Amino acid sequence: MATAATTSHPAPRGACPFAPPPAYQQAQQDEPVTRVALWDDSPCWLITRYQDARAVLADPRFSADAARPGFPFLTAAARQLSVGKTSFIRMDDPEHGHLRRMLTGDFTIRKTAALRPAVQQAADELFDRMTTGRTAADLVAEFALPLPSLVICLLLGVPYQDHEFFQRCSRTLLHRASTVAEVAAAQDSLTTYLDTLTESKRTDPDDGILSRLVARGELPTEEIGAMGRLLLIAGHETTANMTALSVLALLRHPDQLAHLRAHPGSTPAAVEELLRWLSIVQTGVVRVAVEDAEVGGVLIRAGEGVICQINTANRDDERYPDGDALDLTRDTRRHLAFGFGVHQCLGQPLARLELEIALDTLLRRLPDLHLAVPFEEIRFRHEMTVYGVESLPVAW
Ligand code: HEM
């Protein structure tokens, strides 16, 4: 890359906390494949348009393997995370596909649909505990975070009673301000925890995913532990933030909320539009070019890093007219909130089910749901890989 990078990554958000950084939306107009400087001043390509991001994510000339030279680490801690046993999200095919296929049967639409009664029951129990005899609560702590945590524990065979431990580790791993030492410690603790748990399934199996992977007899404990770590983190952080941020977005768009309440069957469509509009994986999806490749008319050389900035791509007016508008009735097909290509989110049917049930339960059972503090007091998670709110004080 010859010239110096002009913008930093991540860039700050502007006046609207739901919108992508204004600098990136501007880049989408002026220079859609642009250079940014990472935390260590290393240059990286930023892809801001929908078509370009989708093309990169579908292109095997762009690798997800963090061990490749030039792979762009978004923090010093992310580089630390790539040390040791990585999970298949940071591998290329055929290794990636080999491991992923061991799990695809657990996350099919049919298998996920069978979980509906259990997820609804968990949502109802959390809801009852949160609301009985009370008129206000923090929706993050009491509903949005425990629901997906409970579900992923159930699926994996992880004891939910350990939730404070693994939620704390995840937070450290996904926080930009965590030091390398903190990240290394969190990574070690979680690895030891999952390896020990996996070992225990050899003598004391249940019907969770960890036990099933052990029973296949194909993978060493540390490989199963790494898969468990990926699923445990991805399985609760993302959906938890998406739930709370969706509720907040709806409360700030009363017309859209009214539409959703008036059309009870429209929740799945609303979930898709919220996924597109919020695009919570705010730091984007990273790859490194393994061959020279042209993207949007720009030559990207082998060994150069790229970031597919999902939140700007998903608001690209060329793909979604008036993309900045939250419109629950729009055609949201092929949005990139779950990524695209071979690494497209494995857990998306589960995320959709959890979000649908969470929103339906809250909106159906709390017709007067509203914010308990002024909007300006809500603290957004600017420093986290996955965007959201720190807490969401609501009343009813
Ligand atoms: C709203 C919720 C969610 C969002 C927005 C989301 C987003 C994403 C994105 C953008 C990727 C692609 C990463 C890349 O290409 O490098 C991804 C991959 C992944 N997600 Fe999710 N995710 C969500 C929920 C979940 C859940 C509930 C699970 C598990 C139960 C999960 C498991 C995974 C896994 C295992 C991968 C790696 C897939 C692979 O490399 O083949 N995700 N997710």
Side-chain angles (χ1 to χ4, degrees):
M1 260 177 255
T3 19
T6 48
T7 316
S8 64
H9 190 278
R13 291 191 189 240
C16 175
F18 297 115
Y24 295 167
Q25 291 199 292
Q26 193 58 46
Q28 191 178 64
Q29 304 302 318
D30 302 342
E31 196 182 355
V33 178
T34 192
R35 274 170 290 259
V36 288
L38 302 183
W39 56 281
D40 58 353
D41 281 337
S42 61
C44 186
W45 292 105
L46 187 80
I47 315 282
T48 55
R49 273 195 195 154
Y50 176 89
Q51 284 303 348
D52 294 339
R54 197 174 142 99
V56 166
L57 294 176
D59 188 338
R61 290 176 299 175
F62 290 93
S63 164
D65 182 349
R68 298 255 192 184
F71 189 87
F73 296 108
L74 299 187
T75 57
R79 192 167 51 196
Q80 172 68 33
L81 277 180
S82 73
V83 176
K85 193 79 216 157
T86 58
S87 43
F88 59 88
I89 195 168
R90 286 278 162 267
M91 295 178 191
D92 293 333
D93 286 340
E95 293 79 12
H96 156 266
H98 175 66
L99 294 170
R100 180 176 164 126
R101 275 192 297 279
M102 294 187 189
L103 295 170
T104 41
D106 294 292
F107 292 96
T108 57
I109 293 178
R110 216 174 54 155
K111 197 79 185 271
T112 307
L115 290 173
R116 183 177 281 273
V119 178
Q120 184 66 63
Q121 190 186 338
D124 287 338
E125 284 172 12
L126 287 167
F127 182 91
D128 291 342
R129 207 171 308 149
M130 178 175 77
T131 54
T132 304
R134 297 162 66 192
T135 57
D138 170 13
L139 197 72
V140 172
E142 299 205 38
F143 189 82
L145 183 57
L147 181 60
S149 304
L150 274 162
V151 174
I152 196 67
C153 280
L154 184 81
L155 285 182
L156 284 174
V158 168
Y160 180 70
Q161 74 219 34
D162 297 335
H163 67 103
E164 276 173 21
F165 162 73
F166 68 73
Q167 285 166 353
R168 196 171 55 244
C169 291
S170 302
R171 190 179 164 81
T172 305
L173 294 176
L174 298 177
H175 201 300
R176 289 185 59 79
S178 300
T179 64
V180 172
E182 285 165 346
V183 166
Q187 170 99 323
D188 279 355
S189 307
L190 207 49
T191 301
T192 307
Y193 172 77
L194 279 158
D195 287 359
T196 310
L197 189 64
T198 302
E199 267 310 303
S200 77
K201 305 288 181 191
R202 295 191 191 280
T203 46
D204 190 13
D206 54 27
D207 49 12
I209 291 175
L210 292 179
S211 291
R212 205 178 41 67
L213 290 173
V214 166
R216 280 177 81 114
E218 287 174 61
L219 297 175
T221 297
E222 57 166 15
E223 191 85 67
I224 300 174
M227 281 160 106
R229 208 172 60 219
L230 170 64
L231 289 171
L232 191 58
I233 298 174
H236 80 276
E237 269 282 341
T238 45
T239 317
N241 285 295
M242 192 54 211
T243 302
L245 210 52
S246 296
V247 170
L248 182 61
L250 290 169
L251 292 177
R252 297 293 288 173
H253 292 78
D255 55 331
Q256 300 299 310
L257 180 56
H259 167 87
L260 184 53
R261 285 206 159 109
H263 301 86
S266 69
T267 314
V271 164
E272 294 311 310
E273 170 64 347
L274 287 159
L275 282 162
R276 178 197 74 82
W277 195 71
L278 293 167
S279 291
I280 57 169
V281 181
Q282 64 174 342
T283 45
V285 174
V286 286
R287 299 287 188 265
V288 62
V290 290
E291 286 174 38
D292 290 359
E294 199 179 294
V295 179
V298 173
L299 178 65
I300 296 181
R301 299 259 180 215
E304 292 180 344
V306 300
I307 301 169
C308 296
Q309 193 63 32
I310 300 179
N311 54 12
T312 53
N314 266 344
R315 288 183 179 218
D316 186 340
D317 290 336
E318 274 185 28
R319 177 68 187 94
Y320 300 106
D322 195 13
D324 275 334
L326 177 67
D327 174 1
L328 301 188
T329 63
R330 80 159 74 231
D331 180 355
T332 55
R333 262 174 297 177
R334 291 193 283 277
H335 67 69
L336 301 176
F338 290 120
F340 187 65
V342 292
H343 288 280
Q344 195 175 37
C345 181
L346 177 71
Q348 56 186 292
L350 179 62
R352 289 185 162 113
L353 178 77
E354 290 174 341
L355 290 166
E356 184 193 328
I357 288 177
L359 289 183
D360 269 346
T361 305
L362 290 169
L363 301 181
R364 183 169 42 81
R365 297 182 64 185
L366 293 176
D368 185 32
L369 184 68
H370 56 273
L371 278 184
V373 295
F375 178 66
E376 295 67 34
E377 285 180 20
I378 303 284
R379 281 175 46 232
F380 288 84
R381 300 177 16 133
H382 294 290
E383 294 297 312
M384 304 293 285
T385 306
V386 179
Y387 196 48
V389 288
E390 294 291 350
S391 63
L392 190 60
V394 290
W396 50 85

